[in-house]
Amino acid sequence: MSTQDQNLVFLKDKWTVAELGLIYKSVAKTDVKITQSRDAFKVCMTMWNKELIEIQEQFAVIFLNRRNEVIAFRHISTGSMVGTIVDIKLIASLSLQTLACGVILAHNHPSKNLKPSQADISITNKLNSALSLFEINVLDHLILTQDSFFSFRDEGIL
């Protein structure tokens, strides 16, 4: 037996490798359907931490089935007054795990300025490109304040 083969046997005896398991559990139907940006805004405002909306930027995603019914809402991150981390891999993973056909992105601007920044536009385009590989549509991206919102779809940015 060669030295390389002996090393492989040693590694096999000493190491274990995690095996990935996958379980999908369907949740109860929500009966919440998104037909326009105002519907998505209502869902976000129902789920959003309003104590932080004017203090810290947060990012969330609404996951939708083919009929634009809400599968789930997920808070992704909480950041500072001027930004938050948007993890593309995490959003793609959650989209696949929920078997989503579409997503609506949402984040708040503590400054109350509804105008999207270049960073907002850039992350929207990156997520749109990444999710399109899995035939998951980014249907909208909302910028929220306590009382109002900006829709990328309504404004022709998406």
Side-chain angles (χ1 to χ4, degrees):
M1 185 181 295
S2 73
T3 304
Q4 185 175 4
D5 290 339
Q6 288 173 346
N7 287 340
L8 289 174
V9 170
F10 173 76
L11 289 176
K12 184 177 177 187
D13 292 339
K14 296 290 184 181
W15 290 10
T16 58
V17 177
E19 183 176 344
L20 179 64
L22 179 63
I23 298 171
Y24 179 77
K25 294 181 181 179
S26 180
V27 295
K29 190 171 186 266
T30 64
D31 292 329
V32 176
K33 187 171 184 170
I34 306 288
T35 60
Q36 58 184 328
S37 57
R38 179 147 305 278
D39 297 336
F41 175 66
K42 288 178 187 176
V43 169
C44 287
M45 293 311 288
T46 300
M47 303 299 292
W48 214 265
N49 182 342
K50 291 174 203 66
E51 293 177 4
L52 297 180
I53 200 163
E54 294 180 358
I55 299 171
Q56 288 177 278
E57 191 166 310
Q58 297 179 296
F59 195 94
V61 179
I62 301 171
F63 301 93
L64 304 159
N65 66 18
R66 191 163 305 286
R67 293 179 303 277
N68 288 346
E69 296 166 335
V70 175
I71 297 169
F73 175 95
R74 174 67 187 251
H75 173 260
I76 301 297
S77 64
T78 298
S80 68
M81 288 189 75
V82 295
T84 192
I85 301 295
V86 180
D87 188 331
I88 294 171
K89 261 195 265 190
L90 175 61
I91 294 169
S93 172
L94 292 168
S95 298
L96 292 168
Q97 288 176 45
T98 60
L99 300 176
C101 293
V103 297
I104 296 175
L105 313 172
H107 77 283
N108 64 304
H109 279 179
S111 67
K112 299 181 185 179
N113 178 2
L114 289 173
K115 183 179 179 190
S117 68
Q118 191 55 49
D120 296 337
I121 294 167
S122 176
I123 196 63
T124 303
N125 292 335
K126 286 178 182 177
L127 279 161
N128 196 22
S129 293
L131 294 176
S132 70
L133 295 172
F134 304 104
E135 298 178 355
I136 299 169
N137 298 312
V138 175
L139 301 172
D140 206 344
H141 184 164
L142 302 181
I143 298 174
L144 313 171
T145 65
Q146 185 73 39
D147 304 312
S148 192
F149 69 97
F150 177 95
S151 162
F152 279 51
R153 176 73 60 198
D154 292 352
E155 298 301 322
I157 297 175
L158 185 64

